[in-house]
Amino acid sequence: MSADCIFCRIINRELDADVVYSDDQVVAFKDINPAAPVHILIVPRKHIPSLLDMEKEDEMLIGHLHMVANELARAFKIDKRGYRIVINCGPDAGQIVFHLHLHLLGGRPLLQTIAKGKEV
Ligand code: AMP
Ligand code: ZN
């Protein structure tokens, strides 16, 4: 838990979010500024600032985030047409929230690279 982290505050229910999945390790909620019809953020409860800060003990957790992404892709019916997982790591990647998260994007053809909610 990091007191000034917006995603920690969502996880601790201090801030509202449209939560679509939750378990003992992960919370997933809709992105406030969606870049696609389905745009869900899959967030570990553990405050890991970025992928670079991942530790050996987090290996299973990172796998679990992807299992949850698959489950949500099926639930939101983007499994057949396909979807994209994005992890932005660091400033050049456009990371703005420094609490590790997967973007799950789908519901339309994603032909371009998506960064910061815009196609480039
Ligand atoms: P990133 O650039 O990978 O750090 O992406 C952060 C994402 O968090 C952006 O797509 C934002 O739209 C999204 N975001 C920021 N604040 C909130 C919030 N309070 N609820 C939902 N999504 C948010
Ligand atoms: Zn956090």
Side-chain angles (χ1 to χ4, degrees), residues 6-7 10 15-18 29-35 39 41 86-90 93-99 101-103 115-117:
I6 192 163
F7 286 178
I10 288 173
L15 279 181
D16 269 348
D18 191 349
F29 48 88
K30 292 189 179 171
D31 196 292
I32 205 166
N33 183 22
H39 188 170
L41 302 175
V86 174
I87 299 178
N88 295 317
C89 183
Q95 186 177 5
I96 50 171
V97 177
F98 284 82
H99 180 133
H101 52 282
L102 266 60
H103 296 254
K116 292 190 77 175

Side-chain angles (χ1 to χ4, degrees), residues 5 8 47 99:
C5 169
C8 281
H47 180 85
H99 180 133

Side-chain angles (χ1 to χ4, degrees), residues 23-96:
D23 66 24
D24 60 336
Q25 297 180 77
V26 172
V27 175
F29 48 88
K30 292 189 179 171
D31 196 292
I32 205 166
N33 183 22
V38 177
H39 188 170
I40 295 169
L41 302 175
I42 302 166
V43 183
R45 289 183 182 274
K46 179 179 176 184
H47 180 85
I48 303 170
S50 82
L51 196 62
L52 263 181
D53 301 298
M54 177 186 158
E55 295 169 348
K56 188 78 184 157
E57 65 175 28
D58 301 322
E59 274 181 341
M60 295 285 284
L61 174 61
I62 305 299
H64 182 59
L65 296 176
H66 288 79
M67 293 297 289
V68 171
N70 276 345
E71 198 172 310
L72 288 170
R74 290 189 192 98
F76 283 82
K77 304 199 183 314
I78 55 171
D79 54 319
K80 299 232 165 27
R81 298 270 311 169
Y83 56 89
R84 182 174 294 158
I85 300 288
V86 174
I87 299 178
N88 295 317
C89 183
D92 272 5
Q95 186 177 5
I96 50 171

